[in-house]
Amino acid sequence: MVATAQRQFRSAWLRIGENTRLLNRWRASDVTEGSREWRIGKILDQLARTGDIPRTRYPSGQYGVKNYVLLGGRAPEKTWGRLFLTLGELTALAVLLTDRFGWNLSQYDRMPVPTTAPSAGAKTSVTYQVQVEKHERARDRGSPPRTSPIRVLTRPGG
């Protein structure tokens, strides 16, 4: 199960990393204006700011993906999944974190959104940190939970 989760999460990691690099290049005006990459960068910028891609409203009142041909299709990994994990990929990440750190569901229930910070001593990598609450056994229920930030992932690039 862990090997399957690793493969699934790795493909998401690569896809999101590639699109993040394109978005950063687009924001730095390092992409030829009007090119295919520039148009995708513009869509990625909206996705990063709003959490969704541009949509068009049809006469029937339904909404559809605008520029789906440019994006390579309507599937999640071709649209909003360019910068975000799908539900299956998020589940794969949970399997990997559970395997690595021995977390149970209570950690995921209380976990705030991870934060990012530059890695200590490295200018070109980013560390994702998660605040984890450890609740004590029944005898210590009157005391507050212990919290500790832990390093989860470090990736090259910004």
Side-chain angles (χ1 to χ4, degrees):
M1 181 174 4
V2 172
T4 301
Q6 286 172 331
R7 281 191 302 274
Q8 189 173 10
F9 184 72
R10 178 166 171 70
S11 71
W13 183 264
L14 294 172
R15 179 191 73 240
I16 292 168
E18 178 183 340
N19 283 286
T20 300
R21 285 187 296 277
L22 174 57
L23 174 59
N24 290 338
R25 286 181 35 232
W26 183 86
R27 286 178 170 170
S29 299
D30 194 25
V31 181
T32 304
E33 188 170 345
S35 68
R36 180 179 185 279
E37 280 189 322
W38 185 89
R39 294 185 327 226
I40 292 174
K42 185 176 180 179
I43 293 168
L44 292 175
D45 182 62
Q46 177 175 333
L47 176 60
R49 286 183 294 104
T50 68
D52 200 7
I53 57 168
R55 297 190 179 271
T56 188
R57 186 172 183 181
Y58 297 116
S60 66
Q62 293 182 318
Y63 288 90
V65 175
K66 195 173 184 179
N67 299 310
Y68 70 89
V69 174
L70 173 66
L71 294 171
R74 294 180 174 100
E77 65 274 4
K78 300 293 185 182
T79 56
W80 57 264
R82 286 177 172 261
L83 294 179
F84 300 104
L85 295 173
T86 65
L87 185 57
E89 293 161 348
L90 186 60
T91 302
L93 176 59
V95 167
L96 296 174
L97 293 173
T98 300
D99 179 64
R100 171 71 172 88
F101 298 111
W103 293 346
N104 59 34
L105 288 177
S106 68
Q107 266 89 27
Y108 297 112
D109 285 344
R110 294 181 181 93
M111 186 182 296
V113 174
T115 59
T116 59
S119 297
K123 294 180 182 175
T124 61
S125 62
V126 175
T127 298
Y128 296 85
Q129 293 184 336
V130 175
Q131 191 78 22
V132 178
E133 286 187 3
K134 290 284 192 179
H135 289 268
E136 301 300 326
R137 301 201 190 293
R139 66 184 181 335
D140 297 327
R141 286 194 194 257
S143 57
R146 292 181 299 130
T147 60
S148 58
I150 63 164
R151 184 180 116 179
V152 176
L153 299 169
T154 301
R155 71 171 168 89

